[in-house]
Amino acid sequence: MRHSVEPIADIIDELQPNPSHLVGPINAFTEFAVQDIARSIPDRFEKQVAKYRQRVAIKTPDIQLDYHSLNQAANRLARAIVTQHGTKSEPVALLLDNGPGMITAILGTLKAGKMFVALDLTFPKRRLAYMLSDAQAGLIVTSSEHLSLAREIAQMGCEFINVDKMPSGLSAENLNLPILPGVGAYIVYTSGSTGQPKGIVHSHRNLLHNIMNYTNAFHISPDDRLTLLHSSSYSSALVDIFCALLNGAALFPWDVRHQGLVGLADWLVEQAITVFNWAPTPFRYFVETASDVASRLSLRLLVLGSEPVTKRDFELYRKHFPENCLFVNRLGTSESNNFCLYFADRQTVLEGHVVLAGYAVPGKKVLLLDNQGQEVGFDQIGQIAIQSSYLALGYWRKPELTEAVFLPDPDGGNERIYLTGDLGRMRCDGCLEHLGRKDFQVKIRGYRIETAEIETAIAALESVRDVVVVARDRLGEQRLVAYLVLTGHAPLSGDKLKRLLGETLPDYMVPDTYVTLDELPMTATGKTDRKALPDPDWNTFGTKKHYAPPGNSTEAALAEIWSGLFGGRQIGIHDDFFELGGYSLLAASLFAQIHERFGQRLPLATLLKAPTIAQLTKILTEDDWSPSWSSLVPIQPNGSKPPLFFVHAHGGN
């Protein structure tokens, strides 16, 4: 695959001012120097320990560790790992609670020259066992509480370190092992298209480059206090962990799955949290419980990412967060880490319903490619690709998959190009619009549709808090289904939704049915779990009119035909064909069956004037009725403005 980098990338370099000219932090901080990424993660951490020995590193309601104590605990674990498994680079699995113990184990594994694989205790045993097998981890670091689980999911020959029963006498001094910046630091697992998770390998250099960009963009300083709301088994958590610990700041884990949302707002106030980083969906639920704390918060940055950030998220920020707090949208992938940032303040005016992805970070070049791998122009839609020297090393033990999405530098340099599978559009100033996943593209009745566009339109409605749109099979045909979480402030019927959406979307993009949920199912990373969405009840399609049964044989025959077309549901004589989800191809089938049953041919345009069984029956049973094949069908005959004509297709329909 070849493409041209020149047309957009070089122009952006000339046009794009530094994003900080728009909005950005102004607090004092020490810049993370670019030369500091040419070392190991333990080296950077140990320099913070030397500077901030007694400062708080990690704090939970039950545990507080300063930098010196955290470093000593990590050193002892590192020596235990080296004693059992030497210093060769290899995966070590971590099966621990998401808190100080896990973070200590991450640091200890890195200090021992190994790659850590953090496992999420909430995963099913089968998934954990697969990840262990795929990683080929010969050592599991766990605790007494989870040792039985570790033994249950481990492979034959796997060894264990119980952090609660480590050998006495282990030195707490730094190991000072020579760790090269280009070697693997961790493997993070994400869902795979084959149905099994796939491991993504990152080096010390890649993680340090990512933290350098965040540090310098967010002005992270030793005075900051950062939340940890994500599971440590995901890339988003590593941003929080290392933005804090590689800059002398303090990290405050909060386990939402165990501690819930109640109390989170007060905790943010009590701990004087300054940087709050989360995914949009749980953020929306959180705001409902925290509407009265804005004046007491110490936040200077509210950071959202991992899924599309909407204008409604921004409005929640403006309503509930302090005047001096900035709003940040971050865009990245597990394979590329963060590659775009967008800052806004309370005076920022947003266009559209989705917050812009923002501007490329240093060391990451954003390309937009067409299906042939050629770069598209400004304001055109293309697949987002990232060109950089700081991409993942690849997929663990999956060279074919790595080669498919990590392309070589077209100019023969040291950079590579990662194909994200996301769609975007680049503005002339280099600001990226994120348009959703390429693989969420569906075809409905021959129309190619991006469901993200429909979701954006629905999300703009006042009564909708969250929405996801998917294509579902119904009687062998793909239909659009919208899953909604409503605000509860105003009722919103399917009929009203269709009418409102019909004002902005073509009819083939208006979902056929709507399923209301208390909340959208979520993955462990806080993203919508589309696979867990319930099947719709097809019998709830259409209007909620009072059922009116057939009153004569013609109505009964038509009701039977319509019922077959709409999946066997009960059809009343006043139900509207189009409100039931009917469309032109279904109308063609209807009229073919009418011809077969009644021996009469009706033009399809008849449905525009008679969209119900009762109205069609009246036409079919009129003594003086005869089919009109006039090409001129008046739709709005009493208007006063100049006439508008729609020309029919070749067949006259």
Side-chain angles (χ1 to χ4, degrees):
M1 181 182 293
R2 299 283 298 177
H3 56 275
S4 168
V5 176
E6 163 105 13
I8 288 187
D10 289 352
I11 296 175
I12 288 176
D13 288 341
E14 297 176 8
L15 293 180
Q16 179 193 330
N18 189 312
S20 63
H21 82 291
L22 302 171
V23 176
I26 58 173
N27 61 296
F29 79 111
T30 301
E31 184 176 359
F32 196 127
V34 67
Q35 57 265 28
D36 286 348
I37 68 175
R39 54 183 56 184
S40 71
I41 297 165
D43 184 53
R44 170 82 185 189
F45 171 69
E46 288 162 9
K47 282 180 168 49
Q48 307 311 305
V49 174
K51 285 196 262 185
Y52 308 110
R53 181 184 177 92
Q54 302 301 326
R55 291 186 71 111
V56 173
I58 305 173
K59 184 178 180 181
T60 72
D62 305 315
I63 299 173
Q64 177 171 309
L65 290 174
D66 59 31
Y67 271 83
H68 176 64
S69 300
L70 174 60
N71 188 52
Q72 286 192 317
N75 285 337
R76 284 192 288 268
L77 176 58
R79 293 185 186 278
I81 293 173
V82 169
T83 299
Q84 278 191 235
H85 266 249
T87 59
K88 183 183 75 170
S89 177
E90 61 181 347
V92 171
L94 311 179
L95 190 68
L96 295 156
D97 290 311
N98 195 47
M102 174 66 84
I103 297 165
T104 301
I106 287 173
L107 290 168
T109 304
L110 292 172
K111 284 170 172 279
K114 311 291 187 183
M115 296 182 286
F116 68 85
V117 184
L119 301 177
D120 193 315
L121 287 163
T122 66
F123 283 174
K125 293 178 183 178
R126 183 175 298 178
R127 185 178 182 88
L128 291 173
Y130 174 84
M131 293 166 65
L132 277 173
S133 173
D134 184 74
Q136 295 184 330
L139 177 64
I140 300 177
V141 176
T142 188
S143 63
S144 296
E145 181 181 359
H146 305 301
L147 184 58
S148 60
L149 173 61
R151 287 176 172 155
E152 187 176 347
I153 63 176
Q155 303 177 89
M156 289 290 294
C158 190
E159 298 179 17
F160 306 91
I161 290 179
N162 184 344
V163 296
D164 297 321
K165 296 183 178 180
M166 287 199 301
S168 60
L170 291 170
S171 172
E173 297 300 313
N174 292 335
L175 282 73
N176 297 318
L177 294 177
I179 301 171
L180 297 175
V183 302
Y186 65 93
I187 303 174
V188 60
Y189 276 84
T190 64
S191 59
S193 58
T194 62
Q196 296 287 7
K198 58 181 183 289
I200 302 165
V201 189
H202 273 283
S203 67
H204 289 251
R205 181 188 292 114
N206 291 351
L207 189 143
L208 288 169
H209 178 264
N210 194 40
I211 300 306
M212 177 193 75
N213 282 336
Y214 274 117
T215 299
N216 296 341
F218 291 175
H219 287 204
I220 301 295
S221 80
D223 295 326
D224 276 313
R225 302 160 78 85
L226 289 77
T227 57
L228 173 60
L229 300 167
H230 304 90
S231 165
S232 296
S233 62
Y234 295 98
S235 298
S236 49
L238 302 183
V239 173
D240 300 320
I241 293 170
F242 289 108
C243 272
L245 300 183
L246 299 187
N247 287 297
L251 184 70
F252 290 76
W254 178 277
D255 192 334
V256 177
R257 282 173 292 200
H258 289 99
Q259 297 169 268
L261 291 175
V262 177
L264 175 56
D266 289 334
W267 176 77
L268 293 174
V269 173
E270 292 166 4
Q271 302 304 325
I273 301 298
T274 61
V275 181
F276 181 92
N277 178 24
W278 217 358
T281 297
F283 163 74
R284 294 165 200 148
Y285 291 105
F286 159 70
V287 170
E288 291 183 356
T289 70
S291 58
D292 61 342
V293 301
S295 61
R296 298 184 288 131
L297 288 171
S298 302
L299 288 182
R300 65 179 188 85
L301 292 177
L302 168 62
V303 187
L304 298 180
S306 299
E307 61 181 348
V309 180
T310 67
K311 187 175 182 179
R312 178 157 298 163
D313 298 322
F314 179 71
E315 293 302 328
L316 289 172
Y317 145 77
R318 288 183 18 140
K319 183 178 180 180
H320 297 294
F321 287 78
E323 286 281 348
N324 60 346
C325 178
L326 297 181
F327 181 89
V328 187
N329 182 17
R330 57 177 177 83
L331 181 61
T333 70
S334 296
E335 290 86 349
S336 65
N337 288 325
N338 175 252
F339 55 83
C340 274
L341 290 172
Y342 182 81
F343 287 85
D345 60 17
R346 297 170 67 88
Q347 286 69 50
T348 301
V349 177
L350 297 185
E351 303 173 18
H353 301 297
V354 177
V355 178
L356 294 171
Y359 300 89
V361 300
K364 305 279 176 70
K365 186 180 292 183
V366 178
L367 312 174
L368 293 178
L369 308 178
D370 62 21
N371 290 334
Q372 287 70 48
Q374 301 298 315
E375 190 172 7
V376 303
F378 291 115
D379 293 322
Q380 295 182 9
I381 296 175
Q383 179 181 186
I384 299 172
I386 310 304
Q387 182 169 344
S388 177
S389 299
Y390 305 102
L391 301 175
L393 302 182
Y395 295 108
W396 178 252
R397 300 176 59 227
K398 289 180 173 58
E400 300 85 0
L401 183 57
T402 300
E403 291 176 7
V405 296
F406 289 92
L407 310 181
D409 190 329
D411 300 321
N414 295 325
E415 295 182 331
R416 291 178 298 148
I417 296 173
Y418 168 63
L419 305 176
T420 67
D422 286 357
L423 295 174
R425 177 167 45 215
M426 188 71 73
R427 297 189 172 195
C428 292
D429 67 345
C431 189
L432 178 69
E433 296 178 58
H434 183 245
L435 303 177
R437 288 291 299 172
K438 183 179 180 183
D439 51 15
F440 290 158
Q441 192 179 80
V442 298
K443 262 196 171 183
I444 302 293
R445 307 198 301 273
Y447 295 101
R448 192 179 300 276
I449 296 171
E450 297 294 341
T451 56
E453 184 177 353
I454 306 171
E455 290 167 355
T456 298
I458 297 176
L461 302 177
E462 184 179 359
S463 298
V464 178
R465 185 174 68 189
D466 289 311
V467 59
V468 61
V469 175
V470 300
R472 292 278 196 244
D473 181 82
R474 183 187 182 219
L475 302 177
E477 187 173 333
Q478 292 293 299
R479 296 293 193 98
L480 291 172
V481 181
Y483 293 85
L484 309 172
V485 178
L486 302 180
T487 61
H489 300 310
L492 195 60
S493 67
D495 289 349
K496 184 177 181 180
L497 271 167
K498 286 187 176 183
R499 186 175 69 254
L500 292 172
L501 293 177
E503 296 174 0
T504 57
L505 297 175
D507 60 354
Y508 62 85
M509 293 183 67
V510 177
D512 288 293
T513 196
Y514 304 84
V515 179
T516 302
L517 303 174
D518 292 332
E519 60 184 32
L520 296 177
M522 310 303 296
T523 66
T525 59
K527 298 181 181 180
T528 302
D529 187 353
R530 292 172 180 256
K531 294 180 180 179
L533 293 168
D535 290 330
D537 181 1
W538 300 111
N539 290 325
T540 62
F541 269 33
T543 66
K544 301 295 184 221
K545 294 185 177 72
H546 176 71
Y547 171 68
N552 55 54
S553 59
T554 302
E555 289 179 348
L558 287 174
E560 182 182 344
I561 295 172
W562 284 39
S563 179
L565 293 173
F566 291 104
R569 66 158 292 179
Q570 188 180 62
I571 306 293
I573 62 172
H574 299 306
D575 288 342
D576 187 285
F577 177 87
F578 299 104
E579 291 179 347
L580 288 167
Y583 51 90
S584 59
L585 293 179
L586 210 60
S589 177
L590 167 64
F591 279 57
Q593 293 185 59
I594 288 176
H595 177 255
E596 181 179 354
R597 178 73 64 93
F598 298 100
Q600 298 191 48
R601 293 184 63 201
L602 301 179
L604 295 184
T606 305
L607 270 181
L608 296 174
K609 296 186 289 185
T612 70
I613 289 174
Q615 292 167 325
L616 269 178
T617 297
K618 185 177 180 181
I619 289 176
L620 287 171
T621 57
E622 285 178 351
D623 293 336
D624 59 346
W625 179 87
S626 61
S628 170
W629 289 95
S630 169
S631 295
L632 189 62
V633 179
I635 298 175
Q636 190 74 276
N638 299 317
S640 60
K641 295 181 180 180
L644 174 65
F645 295 90
F646 294 91
V647 180
H648 61 74
H650 177 69
N653 284 325

Short mmCIF file of all heavy atoms in Angstrom, two decimals, residues 471-513:
data_model
loop_
_atom_site.label_atom_id
_atom_site.label_comp_id
_atom_site.label_asym_id
_atom_site.label_seq_id
_atom_site.Cartn_x
_atom_site.Cartn_y
_atom_site.Cartn_z
N ALA A 471 -26.93 -2.37 13.34
CA ALA A 471 -27.76 -3.05 12.34
C ALA A 471 -28.07 -4.45 12.85
O ALA A 471 -27.18 -5.17 13.29
CB ALA A 471 -27.05 -3.10 11.00
N ARG A 472 -29.35 -4.83 12.80
CA ARG A 472 -29.78 -6.15 13.23
C ARG A 472 -30.53 -6.83 12.09
O ARG A 472 -31.22 -6.18 11.31
CB ARG A 472 -30.70 -6.05 14.45
CG ARG A 472 -29.99 -5.58 15.72
CD ARG A 472 -29.26 -6.72 16.39
NE ARG A 472 -28.89 -6.42 17.76
CZ ARG A 472 -27.66 -6.35 18.19
NH1 ARG A 472 -26.66 -6.54 17.36
NH2 ARG A 472 -27.39 -6.09 19.46
N ASP A 473 -30.40 -8.15 12.04
CA ASP A 473 -31.10 -8.91 11.01
C ASP A 473 -32.55 -9.13 11.40
O ASP A 473 -32.85 -9.54 12.52
CB ASP A 473 -30.42 -10.27 10.79
CG ASP A 473 -31.10 -11.08 9.70
OD1 ASP A 473 -30.82 -10.83 8.52
OD2 ASP A 473 -31.94 -11.93 10.05
N ARG A 474 -33.44 -8.86 10.47
CA ARG A 474 -34.85 -9.13 10.66
C ARG A 474 -35.41 -9.72 9.39
O ARG A 474 -35.44 -9.07 8.34
CB ARG A 474 -35.62 -7.86 11.02
CG ARG A 474 -37.11 -8.13 11.30
CD ARG A 474 -37.87 -6.84 11.48
NE ARG A 474 -39.26 -7.12 11.79
CZ ARG A 474 -40.28 -6.43 11.31
NH1 ARG A 474 -40.09 -5.44 10.48
NH2 ARG A 474 -41.52 -6.75 11.65
N LEU A 475 -35.78 -10.98 9.49
CA LEU A 475 -36.32 -11.70 8.33
C LEU A 475 -35.34 -11.65 7.16
O LEU A 475 -35.73 -11.43 6.00
CB LEU A 475 -37.68 -11.12 7.92
CG LEU A 475 -38.77 -11.13 9.01
CD1 LEU A 475 -40.03 -10.46 8.50
CD2 LEU A 475 -39.05 -12.55 9.47
N GLY A 476 -34.06 -11.83 7.48
CA GLY A 476 -33.04 -11.87 6.45
C GLY A 476 -32.63 -10.51 5.92
O GLY A 476 -31.91 -10.42 4.93
N GLU A 477 -33.02 -9.45 6.59
CA GLU A 477 -32.71 -8.10 6.13
C GLU A 477 -32.14 -7.27 7.26
O GLU A 477 -32.57 -7.40 8.42
CB GLU A 477 -33.99 -7.45 5.59
CG GLU A 477 -33.76 -6.11 4.93
CD GLU A 477 -35.05 -5.63 4.29
OE1 GLU A 477 -35.89 -6.46 3.92
OE2 GLU A 477 -35.23 -4.42 4.21
N GLN A 478 -31.17 -6.43 6.97
CA GLN A 478 -30.56 -5.58 7.97
C GLN A 478 -31.47 -4.39 8.27
O GLN A 478 -31.90 -3.68 7.37
CB GLN A 478 -29.19 -5.08 7.50
CG GLN A 478 -28.14 -6.16 7.41
CD GLN A 478 -27.77 -6.72 8.77
OE1 GLN A 478 -27.29 -6.00 9.64
NE2 GLN A 478 -28.01 -8.01 8.97
N ARG A 479 -31.75 -4.19 9.54
CA ARG A 479 -32.54 -3.05 10.00
C ARG A 479 -31.76 -2.28 11.05
O ARG A 479 -31.02 -2.87 11.84
CB ARG A 479 -33.87 -3.52 10.61
CG ARG A 479 -34.81 -4.23 9.64
CD ARG A 479 -35.35 -3.28 8.58
NE ARG A 479 -36.47 -3.87 7.86
CZ ARG A 479 -37.75 -3.62 8.12
NH1 ARG A 479 -38.07 -2.81 9.09
NH2 ARG A 479 -38.68 -4.18 7.39
N LEU A 480 -31.95 -0.98 11.10
CA LEU A 480 -31.28 -0.15 12.09
C LEU A 480 -32.07 -0.13 13.39
O LEU A 480 -33.29 0.09 13.40
CB LEU A 480 -31.12 1.28 11.57
CG LEU A 480 -30.13 1.47 10.42
CD1 LEU A 480 -30.22 2.89 9.89
CD2 LEU A 480 -28.71 1.15 10.86
N VAL A 481 -31.35 -0.36 14.49
CA VAL A 481 -31.96 -0.33 15.82
C VAL A 481 -31.17 0.65 16.68
O VAL A 481 -29.94 0.58 16.73
CB VAL A 481 -31.95 -1.73 16.47
CG1 VAL A 481 -32.61 -1.67 17.85
CG2 VAL A 481 -32.66 -2.74 15.58
N ALA A 482 -31.87 1.56 17.33
CA ALA A 482 -31.24 2.52 18.23
C ALA A 482 -31.51 2.12 19.67
O ALA A 482 -32.66 1.88 20.06
CB ALA A 482 -31.77 3.93 17.97
N TYR A 483 -30.44 2.03 20.47
CA TYR A 483 -30.56 1.74 21.89
C TYR A 483 -30.33 3.05 22.66
O TYR A 483 -29.29 3.71 22.48
CB TYR A 483 -29.53 0.69 22.31
CG TYR A 483 -29.80 -0.67 21.71
CD1 TYR A 483 -29.33 -0.99 20.43
CD2 TYR A 483 -30.53 -1.63 22.40
CE1 TYR A 483 -29.58 -2.23 19.86
CE2 TYR A 483 -30.79 -2.88 21.85
CZ TYR A 483 -30.30 -3.17 20.58
OH TYR A 483 -30.55 -4.40 20.02
N LEU A 484 -31.31 3.43 23.48
CA LEU A 484 -31.30 4.74 24.10
C LEU A 484 -31.28 4.65 25.62
O LEU A 484 -31.91 3.77 26.21
CB LEU A 484 -32.55 5.54 23.69
CG LEU A 484 -32.89 5.64 22.21
CD1 LEU A 484 -34.25 6.29 22.07
CD2 LEU A 484 -31.84 6.44 21.48
N VAL A 485 -30.57 5.60 26.23
CA VAL A 485 -30.72 5.88 27.66
C VAL A 485 -31.25 7.30 27.74
O VAL A 485 -30.61 8.25 27.26
CB VAL A 485 -29.38 5.76 28.42
CG1 VAL A 485 -29.57 6.12 29.88
CG2 VAL A 485 -28.82 4.36 28.28
N LEU A 486 -32.45 7.47 28.30
CA LEU A 486 -33.10 8.77 28.35
C LEU A 486 -32.77 9.50 29.64
O LEU A 486 -32.42 8.89 30.65
CB LEU A 486 -34.61 8.61 28.20
CG LEU A 486 -35.09 7.90 26.92
CD1 LEU A 486 -36.61 7.81 26.91
CD2 LEU A 486 -34.59 8.61 25.68
N THR A 487 -32.89 10.82 29.60
CA THR A 487 -32.59 11.63 30.79
C THR A 487 -33.69 11.50 31.83
O THR A 487 -33.47 11.79 33.00
CB THR A 487 -32.44 13.10 30.40
OG1 THR A 487 -33.69 13.56 29.83
CG2 THR A 487 -31.32 13.29 29.40
N GLY A 488 -34.88 11.12 31.39
CA GLY A 488 -36.00 11.00 32.32
C GLY A 488 -36.75 12.29 32.50
O GLY A 488 -37.78 12.34 33.18
N HIS A 489 -36.26 13.38 31.87
CA HIS A 489 -36.92 14.68 32.04
C HIS A 489 -38.16 14.82 31.16
O HIS A 489 -39.04 15.60 31.44
CB HIS A 489 -35.94 15.81 31.74
CG HIS A 489 -34.74 15.78 32.63
ND1 HIS A 489 -34.83 15.70 33.99
CD2 HIS A 489 -33.41 15.82 32.34
CE1 HIS A 489 -33.62 15.70 34.53
NE2 HIS A 489 -32.75 15.77 33.55
N ALA A 490 -38.17 14.07 30.05
CA ALA A 490 -39.32 14.19 29.14
C ALA A 490 -39.49 12.87 28.41
O ALA A 490 -38.51 12.25 28.00
CB ALA A 490 -39.09 15.33 28.15
N PRO A 491 -40.74 12.42 28.25
CA PRO A 491 -40.97 11.17 27.51
C PRO A 491 -40.60 11.34 26.04
O PRO A 491 -40.69 12.44 25.49
CB PRO A 491 -42.47 10.93 27.70
CG PRO A 491 -43.04 12.29 27.95
CD PRO A 491 -41.99 13.05 28.70
N LEU A 492 -40.17 10.26 25.44
CA LEU A 492 -39.77 10.32 24.03
C LEU A 492 -40.21 9.01 23.37
O LEU A 492 -39.60 7.96 23.58
CB LEU A 492 -38.25 10.49 23.92
CG LEU A 492 -37.70 10.91 22.56
CD1 LEU A 492 -38.28 12.25 22.14
CD2 LEU A 492 -36.18 10.99 22.61
N SER A 493 -41.29 9.08 22.59
CA SER A 493 -41.82 7.89 21.94
C SER A 493 -41.06 7.61 20.65
O SER A 493 -40.38 8.48 20.10
CB SER A 493 -43.30 8.08 21.64
OG SER A 493 -43.48 9.08 20.65
N GLY A 494 -41.23 6.36 20.16
CA GLY A 494 -40.62 6.01 18.89
C GLY A 494 -41.14 6.88 17.76
O GLY A 494 -40.39 7.29 16.87
N ASP A 495 -42.44 7.19 17.78
CA ASP A 495 -43.02 8.03 16.74
C ASP A 495 -42.38 9.42 16.74
O ASP A 495 -42.04 9.97 15.69
CB ASP A 495 -44.53 8.17 16.96
CG ASP A 495 -45.27 6.88 16.65
OD1 ASP A 495 -44.64 5.97 16.08
OD2 ASP A 495 -46.46 6.80 16.97
N LYS A 496 -42.21 9.98 17.95
CA LYS A 496 -41.62 11.32 18.04
C LYS A 496 -40.17 11.30 17.58
O LYS A 496 -39.72 12.23 16.87
CB LYS A 496 -41.73 11.84 19.47
CG LYS A 496 -41.24 13.27 19.63
CD LYS A 496 -41.43 13.76 21.06
CE LYS A 496 -40.94 15.20 21.21
NZ LYS A 496 -41.12 15.68 22.61
N LEU A 497 -39.44 10.26 17.96
CA LEU A 497 -38.05 10.14 17.52
C LEU A 497 -37.94 10.09 16.01
O LEU A 497 -37.12 10.77 15.40
CB LEU A 497 -37.41 8.89 18.14
CG LEU A 497 -36.75 9.04 19.50
CD1 LEU A 497 -36.47 7.69 20.10
CD2 LEU A 497 -35.47 9.86 19.39
N LYS A 498 -38.79 9.27 15.40
CA LYS A 498 -38.75 9.16 13.94
C LYS A 498 -39.06 10.49 13.28
O LYS A 498 -38.43 10.87 12.28
CB LYS A 498 -39.74 8.09 13.48
CG LYS A 498 -39.30 6.66 13.76
CD LYS A 498 -40.25 5.66 13.13
CE LYS A 498 -39.74 4.23 13.34
NZ LYS A 498 -40.59 3.23 12.68
N ARG A 499 -40.03 11.20 13.85
CA ARG A 499 -40.40 12.49 13.26
C ARG A 499 -39.25 13.49 13.38
O ARG A 499 -38.93 14.21 12.43
CB ARG A 499 -41.65 13.02 13.94
CG ARG A 499 -42.19 14.29 13.29
CD ARG A 499 -43.50 14.72 13.90
NE ARG A 499 -43.35 15.21 15.27
CZ ARG A 499 -43.71 14.53 16.34
NH1 ARG A 499 -44.24 13.33 16.22
NH2 ARG A 499 -43.55 15.04 17.55
N LEU A 500 -38.63 13.54 14.56
CA LEU A 500 -37.53 14.48 14.76
C LEU A 500 -36.32 14.14 13.88
O LEU A 500 -35.70 15.02 13.28
CB LEU A 500 -37.12 14.50 16.23
CG LEU A 500 -38.14 15.07 17.21
CD1 LEU A 500 -37.69 14.85 18.65
CD2 LEU A 500 -38.36 16.56 16.95
N LEU A 501 -35.98 12.86 13.82
CA LEU A 501 -34.83 12.45 13.02
C LEU A 501 -35.10 12.63 11.53
O LEU A 501 -34.18 12.90 10.75
CB LEU A 501 -34.46 11.00 13.31
CG LEU A 501 -33.92 10.73 14.72
CD1 LEU A 501 -33.66 9.24 14.90
CD2 LEU A 501 -32.66 11.52 14.98
N GLY A 502 -36.37 12.46 11.15
CA GLY A 502 -36.72 12.65 9.75
C GLY A 502 -36.49 14.07 9.27
O GLY A 502 -36.45 14.32 8.07
N GLU A 503 -36.31 14.97 10.24
CA GLU A 503 -36.04 16.36 9.87
C GLU A 503 -34.59 16.58 9.48
O GLU A 503 -34.26 17.59 8.85
CB GLU A 503 -36.42 17.28 11.04
CG GLU A 503 -37.91 17.26 11.37
CD GLU A 503 -38.23 18.07 12.62
OE1 GLU A 503 -37.28 18.65 13.19
OE2 GLU A 503 -39.40 18.14 13.01
N THR A 504 -33.71 15.68 9.86
CA THR A 504 -32.28 15.89 9.59
C THR A 504 -31.63 14.73 8.84
O THR A 504 -30.56 14.91 8.26
CB THR A 504 -31.51 16.09 10.91
OG1 THR A 504 -31.73 14.97 11.77
CG2 THR A 504 -31.98 17.35 11.61
N LEU A 505 -32.26 13.54 8.86
CA LEU A 505 -31.66 12.37 8.23
C LEU A 505 -32.54 11.85 7.10
O LEU A 505 -33.76 11.95 7.18
CB LEU A 505 -31.47 11.25 9.26
CG LEU A 505 -30.53 11.51 10.44
CD1 LEU A 505 -30.57 10.33 11.40
CD2 LEU A 505 -29.11 11.77 9.96
N PRO A 506 -31.92 11.29 6.06
CA PRO A 506 -32.74 10.61 5.04
C PRO A 506 -33.47 9.43 5.65
O PRO A 506 -33.02 8.86 6.66
CB PRO A 506 -31.71 10.17 4.00
CG PRO A 506 -30.41 10.16 4.71
CD PRO A 506 -30.48 11.21 5.76
N ASP A 507 -34.58 9.03 5.06
CA ASP A 507 -35.42 8.02 5.69
C ASP A 507 -34.69 6.71 5.92
O ASP A 507 -34.94 6.00 6.89
CB ASP A 507 -36.70 7.80 4.88
CG ASP A 507 -36.43 7.33 3.46
OD1 ASP A 507 -35.25 7.29 3.05
OD2 ASP A 507 -37.40 7.00 2.76
N TYR A 508 -33.74 6.36 5.02
CA TYR A 508 -33.05 5.08 5.19
C TYR A 508 -32.06 5.10 6.36
O TYR A 508 -31.54 4.06 6.75
CB TYR A 508 -32.32 4.68 3.90
CG TYR A 508 -31.24 5.63 3.44
CD1 TYR A 508 -29.95 5.54 3.94
CD2 TYR A 508 -31.51 6.61 2.49
CE1 TYR A 508 -28.96 6.41 3.52
CE2 TYR A 508 -30.53 7.49 2.06
CZ TYR A 508 -29.26 7.38 2.58
OH TYR A 508 -28.28 8.23 2.14
N MET A 509 -31.81 6.29 6.93
CA MET A 509 -30.93 6.39 8.09
C MET A 509 -31.70 6.55 9.39
O MET A 509 -31.09 6.61 10.47
CB MET A 509 -29.95 7.56 7.92
CG MET A 509 -28.95 7.35 6.81
SD MET A 509 -27.74 8.69 6.67
CE MET A 509 -26.82 8.49 8.19
N VAL A 510 -33.01 6.61 9.30
CA VAL A 510 -33.83 6.69 10.52
C VAL A 510 -34.06 5.27 11.03
O VAL A 510 -34.59 4.43 10.31
CB VAL A 510 -35.18 7.37 10.23
CG1 VAL A 510 -36.05 7.36 11.48
CG2 VAL A 510 -34.97 8.79 9.74
N PRO A 511 -33.64 4.96 12.27
CA PRO A 511 -33.80 3.60 12.78
C PRO A 511 -35.23 3.11 12.73
O PRO A 511 -36.18 3.89 12.91
CB PRO A 511 -33.29 3.71 14.23
CG PRO A 511 -32.32 4.85 14.19
CD PRO A 511 -32.90 5.83 13.21
N ASP A 512 -35.38 1.83 12.50
CA ASP A 512 -36.71 1.23 12.43
C ASP A 512 -37.35 1.10 13.79
O ASP A 512 -38.57 1.20 13.94
CB ASP A 512 -36.62 -0.16 11.79
CG ASP A 512 -36.32 -0.09 10.31
OD1 ASP A 512 -37.18 0.38 9.57
OD2 ASP A 512 -35.22 -0.51 9.91
N THR A 513 -36.54 0.84 14.81
CA THR A 513 -37.10 0.68 16.14
C THR A 513 -36.12 1.20 17.17
O THR A 513 -34.94 1.41 16.89
CB THR A 513 -37.44 -0.80 16.44
OG1 THR A 513 -38.31 -0.86 17.57
CG2 THR A 513 -36.20 -1.63 16.70
#
